[in-house]
Amino acid sequence: MAPEVKRKISASSARSHTRKSKSVSSSRFPSGIFIKSLVVFFIGFLAWAYQAACPPPPKKLGTPDGLPITSPRIKLRDGRHLSYKEYGVPKQLAKYKIIYVHGFDSVKYYNVLATSASPALIQDLGVYIVSYDRPGYGESDPNPKQTLKSSALDIEELADQLGLGSKFHVAGFSMGGQLIWTCLKYIPHRLAGATLIAPAVNYWWPSLPANLSKQAFSELFVEDQWSLRVAHHLPSLTYWWNTQKLFPSYKAIAHSPDILSSQDVELIPKFTAGRGPIQGQVRQQGEYESIHRDLNIGYGTWEFDPIELENPFPNNEGSVHIWMGDEDKIVQVTLQRYIAQQLPWIKYHELKGAGHMFSYADGISDDILKALLLGEN
């Protein structure tokens, strides 16, 4: 075996080798300053993201330094206030009493039954109608703990404080129509009848067939699909999603004309008449407490499945109606047809060529009232 050869390494060669090792080491691993900068940047980004996702607090209502209160309000058991407006004959003389629930991005003044029905019909039938600002809208206090059940209990307490008696009718439009399901679930014993006008449908209700729901969902505008996905799966990001500028948000929030049918376009002068002076009230407390929370409640995970409800009027002492346009571009008619088929005790009215705002067309609100109160088809 050959003897091992030992090399001699000069001092200069050793220094050169050491410098090379340090150079390689420093190029592979960030310096302490770089790591600290990266950490600071990451923390700053998280702080920005958190701030962007957190909605600002709602604006205060009432004196001394809050938004003006221009309508009567009741004080609820939990300390919140509901603002309301009365229409029709005085409730002391009324034969029929109706609580109307306004829709998405709306207020108590947008009461289609009270403002579009014939005044003569309302007088002849003896109809009293009261509408209210839902929590966070208009002049009603927000409800950070709002649930489907609390929505129904607000209606019941409004009826009690206004002295509407043991039974009353309820009617709602769009998202307000969707909330009528909560009355049928939680306070059916208080109802004399109910009407859902173009009611919103939650695509995640368990009893909706997956293929039918998926098909209806795919017919929405892509930006609306994403907005509703966020509201359902990531409700804490609803405010951020609908206020960021990177992607388009919910079309109804932007008041996009894309969501209007041909009939809706024709009805614009009617459903916008007189709204100028009061339009600012709708979101005056902040978009999160009104329209964004509305999306979270309407399209979140529900506490019950409306399609599993039982008939609240088994002895025909009252009736439930759904009114729907077959050209509605906001709520898909296919889902309403399925719901009506599964709940045969519902009286389903489908209007050919009608859009989402069909109830503002001549004579339609009269028909809705006659069907609800008199049983006319």
Side-chain angles (χ1 to χ4, degrees), residues 26-47:
S26 62
S27 67
R28 290 182 178 176
F29 302 100
S31 67
I33 295 177
F34 179 77
I35 293 176
K36 290 179 181 178
S37 300
L38 190 62
V39 169
V40 169
F41 172 80
F42 184 67
I43 292 174
F45 174 79
L46 290 179

Side-chain angles (χ1 to χ4, degrees), residues 41-114:
F41 172 80
F42 184 67
I43 292 174
F45 174 79
L46 290 179
W48 170 84
Y50 177 78
Q51 186 176 16
C54 288
K59 293 183 180 179
K60 181 182 176 183
L61 286 166
T63 56
D65 55 354
L67 298 165
I69 296 175
T70 61
S71 300
R73 306 200 302 171
I74 63 165
K75 187 174 183 179
L76 302 172
R77 286 185 291 265
D78 61 6
R80 291 181 296 114
H81 295 83
L82 284 186
S83 176
Y84 64 92
K85 180 171 176 56
E86 299 169 295
Y87 299 86
V89 304
K91 60 176 176 281
Q92 297 84 354
L93 305 176
K95 182 178 180 181
Y96 301 104
K97 298 166 186 175
I98 303 173
I99 295 180
Y100 179 84
V101 188
H102 69 73
F104 180 79
D105 202 13
S106 186
V107 281
K108 58 183 176 288
Y109 298 108
Y110 304 166
N111 183 335
V112 64
L113 295 184

Side-chain angles (χ1 to χ4, degrees), residues 32 59 118 313 356:
K59 293 183 180 179
S118 165
F313 306 114
H356 194 64

Side-chain angles (χ1 to χ4, degrees), residues 115-294:
T115 59
S116 295
S118 165
L121 177 67
I122 290 177
Q123 290 293 323
D124 291 345
L125 294 181
V127 181
Y128 163 89
I129 308 176
V130 59
S131 53
Y132 67 101
D133 290 331
R134 293 197 279 117
Y137 280 106
E139 297 174 358
S140 287
D141 295 333
N143 183 4
K145 299 179 180 179
Q146 185 177 355
T147 63
L148 297 168
K149 186 173 183 178
S150 74
S151 299
L153 296 182
D154 281 356
I155 292 173
E156 182 178 39
E157 192 167 354
L158 176 67
D160 289 342
Q161 292 207 32
L162 294 182
L164 302 190
S166 60
K167 297 274 189 178
F168 51 87
H169 292 78
V170 290
F173 172 72
S174 194
M175 290 289 278
Q178 186 190 58
L179 290 178
I180 299 302
W181 292 115
T182 71
C183 297
L184 296 170
K185 168 65 175 179
Y186 295 112
I187 57 169
H189 57 288
R190 301 298 306 273
L191 303 183
T195 286
L196 296 76
I197 306 169
V201 175
N202 186 321
Y203 300 90
W204 291 273
W205 285 342
S207 293
L208 288 175
N211 60 334
L212 184 66
S213 183
K214 183 178 180 180
Q215 175 61 36
F217 191 78
S218 70
E219 294 173 4
L220 297 174
F221 292 100
V222 173
E223 47 266 63
D224 288 355
Q225 293 180 33
W226 279 106
S227 293
L228 297 188
R229 286 191 187 103
V230 170
H232 182 79
H233 297 290
L234 298 168
S236 60
L237 295 181
T238 298
Y239 171 79
W240 172 79
W241 182 263
N242 288 286
T243 55
Q244 51 79 33
K245 306 301 181 184
L246 299 175
F247 310 103
S249 60
Y250 198 50
K251 279 187 175 288
I253 292 178
H255 297 163
S256 171
D258 295 342
I259 61 177
L260 301 178
S261 71
S262 57
Q263 186 202 52
D264 291 334
V265 173
E266 294 175 0
L267 293 174
I268 285 177
K270 289 192 173 182
F271 66 76
T272 59
R275 293 192 174 190
I278 54 178
Q279 183 66 33
Q281 285 193 20
V282 177
R283 309 180 190 181
Q284 66 177 357
Q285 296 184 63
E287 292 191 358
Y288 178 75
E289 291 297 346
S290 52
I291 55 178
H292 297 159
R293 193 180 292 280
D294 226 0

